[in-house]
Amino acid sequence: MTGARLALAELRARPGRATLTSVGLALVLLLALSVTALADGLVRGSTGVLRALDADVVVTDEAANHQLLRSRLVGAERTALLMRPDVATAGQIGLVPTSASVGGGAPERVTAVGFSPDAPAMPRDTVDGRLPRPGEPGSAAVDVALAGGDVVVGDTLSLAGEREVEVVGLVDDASFLQQPTVWLGQHDWARLRQAVQRDADYAEQLVGATVLQSTEHPEAVATAITEEHDELAVTTREGAVAAVPGVSAQQVTLGAVVAVTLAVAVGLAALIGVLQVLERRALLTALRAVGAPARTLLASVAVRGVLLWVGALIVSTAATVILATVAPPSVPMEVRPVIVASVGGISLVAATLGVTAAAWPILSRLDPQDAVAEEPL
Amino acid sequence: MFLGLAELRHAPGRFVVLGVVLGLLVALMTALATIADRHVTDLTGKVATSPADLLVLDAAAQGALQASRIDDEAAAHVRQHAAGAELAPVGEQRMGARVADGELLDLSLWGLDPDSPAAPEVIAGRLPRQPGEAVLDVADRAQGAALGERLTLVDTGTVLEIVGFTAEARFGAIPTAAVTYDAWTEIAAEAADADPDEVEPTAMAVRADGGVEELAAALNGSSSPVQAAPPSSLASQLPGVAGVRASFGLLLGVAWMAVAAVAATFAVAGVAHRQRTIALLRAVGAPRRRLLAALTVQLLVVTAVGAVLAALLVVLAAWLAPADVPLRWEPGTWAASAAVALAATLMASAVAVVRLARVAPVDALGARR
């Protein structure tokens, strides 16, 4: 406790001295938080369509290798899967890249998702309105990200510049490959596909991937189906998320960047520990001379470092939120509490270790006799 | 200057820690810049390296190749406005593929005629001229690709022989192959269970004898069914490119500020730590300029050492990185990052200079602390 009081007293007495150090720490933490938020945003922006579904197993044809966009499974093929005792229910989705404009505005790239009216193929939640009803033509539920968030229920959407549908509902966090999604019933989707991919005929059933709700562990179900069906590529929803183009590479690359940033933070903490001790060497020596144990002094240095770190974390979190708000829409930064908690927690532990490990060798060698000697230059 | 170097030799510990921190930051900046560049090249290389003067896409595709089809109306529009220009169809489709008996890969398969404005440039081997031949990008050697090796398209069972390699010509950050346009049409039709006559080109390549801008303007006229743009311009509009550039640019900006802040923290703390020494030196006649030079030299030396450390770290990381992490050792990028870090350090030293300038000779007597 004495160490903590010492640290707090010093911070109160000389707050200005801590300011620049805090700015340096805050910038390194801002970097760590920005990279993590960006990595998270990139992955979530590419995989929302899968996470929005209430499915735990994803089936594509073997050649598609878990890729939703390339899979050409026909809806009727799911009947065989439905007969399995380890499958509770099955649905079908089909994806077509196209463009959409709201109310005659500028067109933007979207992914049109055709879905069967089965639980695993439908988005779990709508934030407004509803999903298109089975057999209801000319209706769509759209991602709230469309048109910069300015789309509302009742708007008219022009798909691929030629097919118009009415927005009947809004879904959140359902994008695919950084593009908003438009959820359509089978008929509208098949018409759109025919218009966009003119080498494709009108599809009587959705062509794409089959999604399942399993009654047993999803991984076991995926393995069992794979063993029985050579022509299928079956994986868990998490496996399908990892198979989305670019996701695993982004995770590895940006994960390495986050690790280096945290290493920088630890190095900076060590530097601060060294500088704190060197800057106050004479005072710390005097405290040793009047009986303060080296451990108490170390505690004061560590507590001061932690307090600076917490202050820097608060500042950097606010800065990251501001950065994510003012960044152009093409920068998919998402500052979620879990990101702040994980980066803050890991860096705090690492920084405490860095400060103490760097400061202890100097503190433990402080000689109380130096306090009565001429002050060294 | 000698004063600064003498102190570096006398008390190297804290300079080493600062050098390591700056080295990690410069390595981070180098890695971020390299990854951003390589990632954009991997996403767009096939389009960016196209020798065509213009590439023409379906206007409704909004620059996304996967959503583009040039139908009869669009093709007629191009022929009408580009009379006299050389035109060639371009096809692109995603497929599953295996190199030799390797693992299943996602492949971007292009149809490009070898004697057309769309013909890619090969750096090894030759262009495909027969239906069973393909070129791959040299980056795909990591997947086992070699001249004479088999490339099997899983969707159709088509077996192609690799006859050449392109460079920096990947698309969508996945392995990228090119076959003749006719071969591509056959494969695309078989994959879609359609007739080859029904398969429409994804885009068209245009080679004009001058007047490219005027031609683009004519093709893009009002209510045009197509979007025409030079390959480099189209590459920058492809999905994800703006996001990658903006995101990594943002991170580089923050990293640059972090370098400046770390250097400033260290420099100011250094001045505070040596306040009485500095005051004494001032009292015995050391000019302020000399002390400023010593401080600046220390920061520059430590940053330079950090930059060398960064080079070693990036070389090591590039060597250890998995094939799908686009990290390479690129001396130009490292030099630019090191230069930016040096500039940031010099700017940061200005903060310490202000503080140092306030140290008066009388402080040596301990009157002001």
Side-chain angles (χ1 to χ4, degrees):
Chain A
M1 283 306 290
T2 312
R5 279 204 299 274
L6 262 174
L8 286 169
E10 193 184 357
L11 279 173
R12 273 199 300 271
R14 294 177 179 181
R17 190 164 279 190
T19 306
L20 190 60
T21 312
S22 295
V23 170
L25 282 173
L27 279 166
V28 172
L29 283 174
L30 172 63
L31 190 60
L33 282 169
S34 303
V35 176
T36 314
L38 184 64
D40 191 54
L42 278 170
V43 171
R44 292 177 71 81
S46 285
T47 61
V49 72
L50 277 162
R51 287 183 291 102
L53 302 175
D54 199 11
D56 51 19
V57 174
V58 178
V59 186
T60 66
D61 62 70
E62 194 229 351
N65 197 22
H66 313 306
Q67 306 268 337
L68 299 183
L69 211 49
R70 288 211 337 257
S71 182
R72 295 193 185 87
L73 285 184
V74 180
E77 293 175 45
R78 71 176 190 267
T79 311
L81 297 172
L82 267 171
M83 304 296 283
R84 296 178 61 91
D86 51 5
V87 171
T89 177
Q92 186 79 7
I93 56 170
L95 276 63
V96 172
T98 184
S99 62
S101 59
V102 181
E108 65 178 289
R109 290 185 283 251
V110 298
T111 301
V113 184
F115 68 100
S116 67
D118 306 288
M122 304 197 308
R124 266 191 300 262
D125 303 304
T126 51
V127 290
D128 193 12
R130 58 176 174 79
L131 294 171
R133 295 196 178 96
E136 178 189 11
S139 61
V142 302
D143 198 330
V144 289
L146 187 68
D150 287 339
V151 65
V152 293
V153 171
D155 278 346
T156 300
L157 203 64
S158 174
L159 296 170
E162 49 186 84
R163 293 198 62 79
E164 292 201 339
V165 290
E166 185 193 345
V167 176
V168 296
L170 300 176
V171 293
D172 192 15
D173 192 16
S175 52
F176 183 64
L177 296 176
Q178 311 302 324
Q179 293 172 13
T181 47
V182 176
W183 296 72
L184 302 167
Q186 191 272 331
H187 175 73
D188 283 322
W189 181 84
R191 284 282 179 222
L192 177 71
R193 177 173 175 261
Q194 194 181 22
V196 173
Q197 299 175 355
R198 283 172 285 268
D199 45 342
D201 292 330
Y202 177 83
E204 295 294 342
Q205 299 198 48
L206 285 164
V207 180
T210 301
V211 285
L212 311 174
Q213 277 176 352
S214 57
T215 55
E216 294 173 19
H217 195 279
E219 208 159 312
V221 176
T223 306
I225 299 175
T226 306
E227 282 172 2
E228 291 170 32
H229 297 270
D230 289 345
E231 75 285 7
L232 300 178
V234 191
T235 184
T236 59
R237 185 173 63 172
E238 290 69 32
V241 163
V244 170
V247 165
S248 62
Q250 280 164 0
Q251 282 174 329
V252 172
T253 306
L254 292 175
V257 172
V258 171
V260 174
T261 313
L262 289 175
V264 171
V266 175
L268 188 57
L271 184 65
I272 288 167
V274 170
L275 292 176
Q276 276 190 70
V277 177
L278 290 178
E279 197 181 329
R280 286 179 292 280
R281 188 170 198 145
L283 291 171
L284 293 168
T285 308
L287 285 169
R288 286 282 287 125
V290 296
R295 282 184 189 160
T296 303
L297 300 182
L298 180 68
S300 81
V301 169
V303 168
R304 189 173 183 269
V306 167
L307 289 174
L308 287 177
W309 203 262
V310 171
L313 182 64
I314 292 168
V315 172
S316 59
T317 303
T320 312
V321 171
I322 293 169
L323 205 59
T325 311
V326 301
S330 56
V331 178
M333 276 175 77
E334 275 191 48
V335 190
R336 294 189 297 138
V338 66
I339 289 172
V340 177
S342 54
V343 170
I346 293 170
S347 63
L348 185 60
V349 172
T352 308
L353 290 174
V355 168
T356 49
W360 178 247
I362 309 172
L363 280 173
S364 61
R365 286 203 301 268
L366 286 180
D367 187 352
Q369 286 185 14
D370 288 345
V372 292
E374 283 293 313
E375 189 175 333
L377 294 176
Chain B
M1 180 173 169
F2 294 121
L3 196 63
L5 293 177
E7 193 185 1
L8 272 171
R9 279 196 300 270
H10 177 68
R14 59 204 163 102
F15 292 102
V16 168
V17 180
L18 177 66
V20 170
V21 172
L22 289 178
L24 284 167
L25 278 169
V26 175
L28 197 61
M29 289 170 74
T30 310
L32 285 172
T34 309
I35 289 168
D37 277 352
R38 297 304 315 176
H39 194 47
V40 169
T41 303
D42 265 8
L43 279 171
T44 67
K46 196 73 183 176
V47 171
T49 60
S50 171
D53 291 322
L54 293 173
L55 285 174
V56 181
L57 267 62
D58 178 358
Q62 288 296 298
L65 236 67
Q66 279 186 301
S68 174
R69 296 284 191 281
I70 301 293
D71 63 9
D72 292 343
E73 183 202 349
H77 176 88
V78 176
R79 276 194 294 273
Q80 181 194 339
H81 289 87
E86 205 178 337
L87 305 176
V90 173
E92 194 274 337
Q93 179 149 359
R94 304 291 168 98
M95 313 203 89
R98 291 183 201 279
V99 177
D101 295 318
E103 63 183 46
L104 189 54
L105 304 168
D106 298 316
L107 179 81
S108 171
L109 182 71
W110 288 66
L112 304 167
D113 275 335
D115 300 315
S116 77
E121 190 179 328
V122 290
I123 58 157
R126 60 174 174 80
L127 286 170
R129 295 191 173 273
Q130 306 294 326
E133 297 176 343
V135 290
L136 246 74
D137 191 77
V138 73
D140 302 323
R141 281 182 172 160
Q143 319 291 342
L147 289 177
E149 190 57 88
R150 279 175 298 122
L151 175 71
T152 306
L153 305 178
V154 179
D155 299 58
T156 58
T158 311
V159 179
L160 304 166
E161 181 192 351
I162 299 168
V163 297
F165 283 107
T166 55
E168 310 227 313
R170 273 182 146 201
F171 187 69
I174 55 175
T176 303
V179 295
T180 62
Y181 182 74
D182 283 346
W184 179 84
T185 308
E186 294 284 340
I187 292 165
E190 195 177 342
D193 206 14
D195 191 279
D197 294 338
E198 295 172 9
V199 175
E200 293 167 336
T202 308
M204 291 190 82
V206 181
R207 186 182 292 146
D209 290 330
V212 175
E213 283 181 18
E214 292 78 9
L215 179 57
L219 286 166
N220 291 330
S222 62
S223 327
S224 171
V226 299
Q227 175 197 2
S232 58
S233 165
L234 197 62
S236 64
Q237 297 170 39
L238 287 167
V241 174
V244 169
R245 287 200 192 283
S247 303
F248 280 85
L250 195 82
L251 296 179
L252 278 169
V254 176
W256 184 80
M257 286 193 290
V259 170
V262 168
T265 304
F266 179 83
V268 169
V271 172
H273 167 54
R274 287 164 297 173
Q275 188 156 337
R276 293 204 65 202
T277 311
I278 292 167
L280 184 68
L281 288 168
R282 293 274 294 117
V284 297
R288 191 176 280 150
R289 205 172 48 243
R290 192 173 169 194
L291 300 175
L292 295 177
L295 177 71
T296 309
V297 163
Q298 283 176 351
L299 284 173
L300 289 178
V301 168
V302 173
T303 310
V305 170
V308 173
L309 175 68
L312 297 174
L313 287 172
V314 175
V315 168
L316 186 68
W319 185 55
L320 294 174
D324 56 352
V325 175
L327 181 61
R328 313 266 191 286
W329 163 242
E330 291 180 356
T333 309
W334 166 77
S337 301
V340 166
L342 279 171
T345 304
L346 281 176
M347 280 178 61
S349 68
V351 183
V353 163
V354 172
R355 185 147 189 170
L356 195 147
R358 286 192 194 139
V359 179
V362 70
D363 290 346
L365 304 175
R368 291 196 326 187
R369 293 200 62 179

